[in-house]
Amino acid sequence: MTYEVVIGLEVHAQLLTQSKMFCACGTKFGLPANSQTCPICLGMPGTLPVINKKAVEMAVRTGLALQCRIGEQNRFARKNYFYPDLPKGYQISQYEAPICEHGAVEVEVGPAKKPVRIRRAHLEEDAGKNIHEAGANGSRVDLNRAGTPLLEIVTEPDMRSADEVVAYLKMLREILMYLEVCDGNMEEGSLRCEPNLSLRPVGQKEFGTKVELKNINSFKFVKEAIEYEIKRQTKVLNEGGKIAQETRLWDSDKGETATMRSKEEAHDYRYFPDPDLVPLSLAPEWIDDLRKTLPELPAVRQRRFVGEYGLPEYDAGVLTGSKALADYFEACVRLFPQPKTVSNWVMGELLRELNQAGLSAAASPVGPERLVSLLQLVEKGTISLKVAREIFPELYASGKAPEEIVKAKGLTQVSDEGSLGKIIDEVIAKNPTQVEQYRGGKEAVLGFLVGQVMKSSGGKANPGKVNELLKKKLGGLG
Ligand code: ADP
Ligand code: MG
Ligand code: ZN
């Protein structure tokens, strides 16, 4: 039997607010345990939550960018469960009236484009962290993260392969980062993704029983976990078994998923409106104002890069892959208006170094001015393209100006007729046979002679000039 895979995603994005969702505590990562807490996020009796306006604003901006309908009447609900990292015994979330609904993200899979529908996105608070140290006498609880604002973004079950999921997740992450509402860091857990996955026989309309996957903290693991789970479920079904509806944990060391718990139902959580929070109404004018100040989003910027700069789709896609890189590219083009040349350098030499160092373009040790001054040296003929490529790693590593490196290494391109003329005369004298052939009409031999001149100049001769001078000295074709 052949099966089709059906996948829907739940993504939790930590919002980049200064303070928590319902109290004034800070949200910085990596501070001493429990130093970012107060009676509200510790769940002390008698304390009252107050909604963080910035978090609401970020949720609305994200909803607008995801083409959602924004709910003007918002309710917060208590989701009740017990766990040591949840001191109140409930999480404040949204259930019946989420802040965003019915959106879509256009996803590119190979040459095809496909919409993935957003079912809803709602605001909630994060839990703390339980710390289990090897050899420790018991476990500890750090509540610094408790109460950090989260936006949970849920898709319809629209994806049909691991590649589609990765493409959706990349696009969603780009959008969140363009909006500056989330730092997108999957390793640190600021962006967490939980795929829901089921199989059905090809041609069948009803969905199969789904499994929810957790503990996936990189794009690589998203793909591996989904592919593992497809194989596992296929095997179960082919052996006549049934898929248990459950939550499974990805184990990246073993490359496997394993049962964590059987899936709970919504009614297990006893959702009810939080009596401590009045309904939140959003003014339509405020939503409109936020709509007007949305930045240019990745897909739109990509289209503009094709139209305005005449770049290939591919280049435009890579360059708009992050806001920092797209900004870097545009800063260069303002100083050096040759978009395709700039694109080649940014996508080639620069990205190679940045990726190796795991750096964003915003943190590049070679800024746009530096890169442009290198391009200008090539443009003016001071150095050859080959030399420019060769010195780029040094430019990147040393922080020196390109002029300085060129001077120190004596790499200046030789273009003056005097010095070139001498080398050319020598080459002509040493290669009488080829010179004869050229004069006899064998034009292709010119390339060989140019090569000889380049070689004896140590690669520094200006090839255009060499061509021109050689032709002049050899005279017309016989
Ligand atoms: P739950 O109540 O278990 O959380 P939901 O209906 O809220 O389930 O859906 C959670 C996620 O699972 C959504 O992203 C949805 O698109 C996806 N989903 C729902 N049913 C299926 C299915 N049969 N196969 C794959 N994904 C599904
Ligand atoms: Mg759910
Ligand atoms: Zn607090």
Side-chain angles (χ1 to χ4, degrees):
M1 183 75 91
T2 42
Y3 298 99
E4 177 182 49
V5 60
V6 172
I7 310 166
L9 234 60
E10 292 167 280
V11 168
H12 287 87
Q14 240 173 42
L15 297 176
L16 277 174
T17 54
Q18 300 278 317
S19 58
K20 293 188 180 178
M21 186 68 219
F22 299 108
C23 64
C25 291
T27 54
K28 264 214 195 79
F29 183 82
L31 294 177
N34 298 307
S35 62
Q36 307 296 296
T37 55
C38 74
I40 296 174
C41 55
L42 290 176
M44 300 291 177
T47 56
L48 287 172
V50 178
I51 298 172
N52 181 335
K53 184 173 178 186
K54 204 73 197 173
V56 177
E57 183 183 315
M58 289 182 177
V60 171
R61 293 174 69 236
T62 306
L64 291 171
L66 299 178
Q67 303 174 49
C68 288
R69 194 183 305 154
I70 304 300
E72 287 172 15
Q73 296 305 322
N74 282 268
R75 283 285 213 139
F76 286 89
R78 290 186 181 181
K79 179 178 181 180
N80 298 280
Y81 66 92
F82 173 79
Y83 211 56
D85 62 13
L86 187 76
K88 295 197 297 294
Y90 59 86
Q91 175 194 31
I92 306 179
S93 182
Q94 294 192 295
Y95 186 57
E96 273 160 354
I99 192 159
C100 315
E101 276 185 294
H102 310 304
V105 174
E106 182 107 314
V107 170
E108 265 179 70
V109 196
K113 286 196 175 134
K114 127 167 206 180
V116 170
R117 290 168 301 159
I118 304 292
R119 178 182 290 177
R120 58 184 277 151
H122 65 254
L123 273 167
E124 59 186 32
E125 56 177 344
D126 210 343
K129 272 183 192 158
N130 297 324
I131 300 162
H132 315 287
E133 276 162 340
N137 181 21
S139 293
R140 297 184 297 154
V141 181
D142 177 5
L143 293 173
N144 281 351
R145 198 179 68 178
T148 299
L150 294 179
L151 189 66
E152 178 175 339
I153 304 161
V154 184
T155 75
E156 295 293 343
D158 284 349
M159 286 157 277
R160 297 289 176 270
S161 68
D163 287 339
E164 284 187 17
V165 172
V166 170
Y168 163 76
L169 204 54
K170 284 198 166 149
M171 183 48 95
L172 178 66
R173 181 170 176 271
E174 272 180 27
I175 292 172
L176 295 169
M177 290 172 71
Y178 264 70
L179 293 169
E180 292 172 29
V181 300
C182 178
D183 68 20
N185 190 329
M186 292 179 75
E187 283 78 15
E188 280 181 9
S190 2
L191 190 71
R192 310 197 278 272
C193 115
E194 284 148 27
N196 290 260
L197 189 153
S198 64
L199 297 185
R200 63 179 170 186
V202 169
Q204 179 184 302
K205 254 184 106 185
E206 300 76 42
F207 291 143
T209 304
K210 75 176 159 68
V211 157
E212 181 173 338
L213 303 178
K214 280 188 190 284
N215 197 36
I216 297 174
N217 64 0
S218 73
F219 286 111
K220 184 169 157 263
F221 293 154
V222 170
K223 196 167 154 74
E224 287 178 12
I226 290 174
E227 281 168 357
Y228 172 84
E229 192 56 24
I230 294 172
K231 279 205 201 105
R232 187 191 69 85
Q233 292 190 19
T234 303
K235 186 156 179 278
V236 172
L237 293 173
N238 281 342
E239 286 168 357
K242 274 207 167 107
I243 302 299
Q245 177 157 334
E246 60 184 1
T247 301
R248 297 178 70 89
L249 278 189
W250 167 247
D251 181 332
S252 58
D253 292 331
K254 291 197 188 138
E256 292 172 8
T257 65
T259 301
M260 175 191 178
R261 57 169 185 246
S262 68
K263 178 74 190 173
E264 61 293 317
E265 304 278 343
H267 62 246
D268 296 329
Y269 289 118
R270 297 287 189 276
Y271 280 100
F272 67 86
D274 191 316
D276 287 346
L277 288 159
V278 291
L280 171 72
S281 330
L282 307 181
E285 303 78 43
W286 187 63
I287 298 172
D288 275 343
D289 286 348
L290 292 178
R291 193 192 307 273
K292 282 183 207 132
T293 59
L294 282 184
E296 186 182 31
L297 294 168
V300 177
R301 200 166 190 185
Q302 180 179 356
R303 250 175 280 135
R304 180 167 66 77
F305 275 24
V306 172
E308 186 176 335
Y309 301 123
L311 292 178
E313 280 277 337
Y314 176 78
D315 292 38
V318 174
L319 294 172
T320 55
S322 86
K323 184 167 182 291
L325 192 65
D327 289 345
Y328 186 102
F329 168 80
E330 293 208 274
C332 291
V333 171
R334 272 193 291 276
L335 301 167
F336 190 81
Q338 296 185 27
K340 183 56 185 158
T341 303
V342 172
S343 165
N344 290 345
W345 277 89
V346 171
M347 294 200 315
E349 270 66 23
L350 182 71
L351 263 192
R352 187 173 313 132
E353 298 285 345
L354 290 176
N355 288 344
Q356 240 164 49
L359 285 182
S360 129
S364 170
V366 177
E369 292 83 12
R370 273 284 155 82
L371 179 61
V372 164
S373 60
L374 181 68
L375 302 191
Q376 281 164 341
L377 289 181
V378 178
E379 174 83 357
K380 278 190 293 195
T382 311
I383 56 173
S384 66
L385 187 59
K386 186 158 162 277
V387 166
R389 289 216 183 95
E390 279 165 12
I391 65 170
F392 188 82
E394 185 177 345
L395 186 71
Y396 184 92
S398 71
K400 284 188 201 145
E403 295 81 356
E404 216 180 310
I405 299 173
V406 167
K407 221 164 137 198
K409 297 197 143 183
L411 293 170
T412 306
Q413 183 163 257
V414 181
S415 302
D416 72 286
E417 301 206 359
S419 335
L420 285 182
K422 244 193 264 157
I423 304 175
I424 290 173
D425 289 342
E426 280 166 29
V427 167
I428 289 179
K430 269 195 224 153
N431 299 281
T433 324
Q434 283 81 0
V435 169
E436 247 350 276
Q437 287 173 340
Y438 176 79
R439 290 198 170 127
K442 215 169 162 196
E443 209 174 338
V445 178
L446 189 69
F448 167 80
L449 294 169
V450 171
Q452 293 305 301
V453 177
M454 293 304 295
K455 204 164 139 196
S456 60
S457 76
K460 285 188 283 182
N462 177 335
K465 263 271 145 56
V466 170
N467 228 294
E468 189 189 312
L469 279 178
L470 246 180
K471 275 192 191 156
K472 218 197 276 173
K473 285 197 184 262
L474 291 171
L477 298 176

